[in-house]
Amino acid sequence: MRFRDIIGQESVKQQLRLSVQKNRIPHAQLLCGPSGIGKLQLAIAYAQYIACQNRSEQDSCGVCPACLQYQNLQHPDLHFVYPIVKTDSADVCDDFAEQWRSIIIDKGYFSLEDWYAALGASTKQGMIYEKESEEILRKLSLKSFGNGYKVMIIWQPEKMNIACANKLLKLLEEPPQQTLFLLVSEHPEELLPTILSRLQRIVVPRLEEERLATLFAPDIAHIANGSYLAAQQITDLADENNQYFTDFVALMRRAWLVGVKQDYKALQELRQWSNDMADAKVGRERQKAFLQYTQKQVRENFIYNLHQPAMNYQTAEETDFSTKFAPFINAANVEPIMNELDKAERQIAQNGNAKMIFFDLCLQMIVLIKKK
């Protein structure tokens, strides 16, 4: 992968290129920022630029032996670590290397949910296990193939369990010579402080709306809020996004009917709604995605009250619902509602009882939606 293959991010590309040209490559770096903006792609292009035998000031050549190996993600000095879902026959990242290479080459930009789906484990959550730290130590103890840098790219390092993270501390502080760690994170605040202190942080910004508008319809570019992946998903997953919207409307409308209109038939409907959302077929990643979508819509409805269309990131259908619903999201309840949604998302992520979590959320919405 070359820098020219990555959408936007020119300032970050230049920062990475200069570190190579000036021979000042920090041995442990953290590329952090929102999902879908090209962090992993930048890490791979950076590693290829370092390995390229005929690089220019702007990019790797794309034709030397090292570049050709990088094109297939099979350079012997390039290693990846990522969350996995263990099975009886597969318990380290290398056991899933074929799926990993395929998703990067075929999809380019992808989410954690996409990765779990590629593993056939969309209803489960992955982790970077303790055994992976032993694999990292083993790989980095080997001699470099071309007497160059050995590169270890860790995607979603916040998914490392405590034992794995602790075993990497010394290696991050004192790595073997010409070893480069590139950690690619969406939630760096979830990393151990002792890990963070050993990394040089590179903040990767959201893409400019004007740049996305050259690739997608202007309204999609606006809603995507700087994420190429979000714009792609809005385009490709219109039906799924519509389902999130339908579920959001069902939750809020029925909570309003119970809380404001004392319509207790709607309470029974909310109980059924929570059971449907908790169904195992929905899967925890999809449940989390819905709760994230709902948080976004609560934010959009609160902002809608300011009557500043440029500040809203909604489809026409979502905006139409907000014309009636937005007045019920106000300064008195917006923060408590967001807190409840965030709590539900965290509990789902921690494998809590989904039926209890979603029904409790319904009860909280009933109380909060009538708060003024």
Side-chain angles (χ1 to χ4, degrees), residues 50-51 75-77 142-150 177-178:
I50 293 170
H75 192 284
D77 289 332
L142 300 174
K143 185 178 179 181
S144 170
F145 175 75
N147 294 320
Y149 272 86
K150 292 172 286 186
Q177 190 173 9
Q178 286 197 298

Side-chain angles (χ1 to χ4, degrees), residues 246-265:
T246 299
D247 291 334
F248 167 73
V249 170
L251 169 62
M252 295 305 179
R253 183 170 285 160
R254 288 163 181 163
W256 176 83
L257 284 170
V258 179
V260 178
K261 296 295 184 180
Q262 285 80 51
D263 181 347
Y264 295 106
K265 178 183 177 184

Side-chain angles (χ1 to χ4, degrees), residues 27-33 39-40 43 81 128 136 151-158 160 168 172 180-186 188 191-192 195-196 198-202 204:
H27 70 267
Q29 302 179 50
L30 172 68
L31 281 75
C32 57
K39 301 183 300 298
L40 177 61
V81 170
I128 300 173
I136 294 171
V151 180
M152 180 65 65
I153 297 177
I154 305 179
W155 183 66
Q156 303 276 353
E158 54 268 31
M160 287 190 292
L168 287 184
L172 284 170
L180 174 59
F181 280 96
L182 296 174
L183 279 66
V184 180
S185 174
E186 292 174 15
L191 289 167
L192 291 177
I195 292 281
L196 282 173
R198 288 162 168 79
L199 304 172
Q200 177 170 308
R201 183 180 300 218
I202 298 174
V204 184

Side-chain angles (χ1 to χ4, degrees), residues 105 114 133 163 181 185 215 217 289-290 296 302 311 321 324 342:
I105 293 170
D114 294 329
S133 60
F181 280 96
S185 174
L215 303 170
F290 165 73
K296 176 180 181 295
F302 181 67
M311 296 174 63
F321 177 69
K324 299 175 182 177
D342 178 66

Side-chain angles (χ1 to χ4, degrees), residues 326-360:
F328 295 95
I329 303 297
N330 52 64
N333 65 12
V334 64
E335 186 174 353
I337 288 175
M338 293 293 280
N339 288 340
E340 290 299 327
L341 291 165
D342 178 66
K343 182 178 75 173
E345 183 186 346
R346 284 187 282 108
Q347 289 173 337
I348 289 293
Q350 294 164 0
N351 294 316
N353 185 309
K355 281 189 178 182
M356 293 179 64
I357 293 167
F358 277 105
F359 189 59
D360 179 66

Side-chain angles (χ1 to χ4, degrees), residues 119-223:
L119 294 178
S122 58
T123 61
K124 299 180 181 179
Q125 298 185 77
M127 185 177 290
I128 300 173
Y129 296 93
E130 180 179 5
K131 188 173 181 180
E132 203 62 49
S133 60
E134 299 169 7
E135 286 293 295
I136 294 171
L137 288 165
R138 180 185 66 80
K139 291 172 182 176
L140 295 183
S141 67
L142 300 174
K143 185 178 179 181
S144 170
F145 175 75
N147 294 320
Y149 272 86
K150 292 172 286 186
V151 180
M152 180 65 65
I153 297 177
I154 305 179
W155 183 66
Q156 303 276 353
E158 54 268 31
K159 294 294 183 181
M160 287 190 292
N161 67 18
I162 296 297
C164 179
N166 283 330
K167 284 192 173 183
L168 287 184
L169 287 174
K170 184 172 178 58
L171 190 59
L172 284 170
E173 187 169 7
E174 299 178 6
Q177 190 173 9
Q178 286 197 298
T179 296
L180 174 59
F181 280 96
L182 296 174
L183 279 66
V184 180
S185 174
E186 292 174 15
H187 301 287
E189 70 281 359
E190 296 179 10
L191 289 167
L192 291 177
T194 46
I195 292 281
L196 282 173
S197 67
R198 288 162 168 79
L199 304 172
Q200 177 170 308
R201 183 180 300 218
I202 298 174
V203 177
V204 184
R206 294 180 182 274
L207 295 167
E208 295 181 355
E209 185 175 322
E210 293 78 8
R211 182 67 181 89
L212 284 177
T214 65
L215 303 170
F216 301 94
D219 60 334
I220 291 176
H222 181 65
I223 295 169

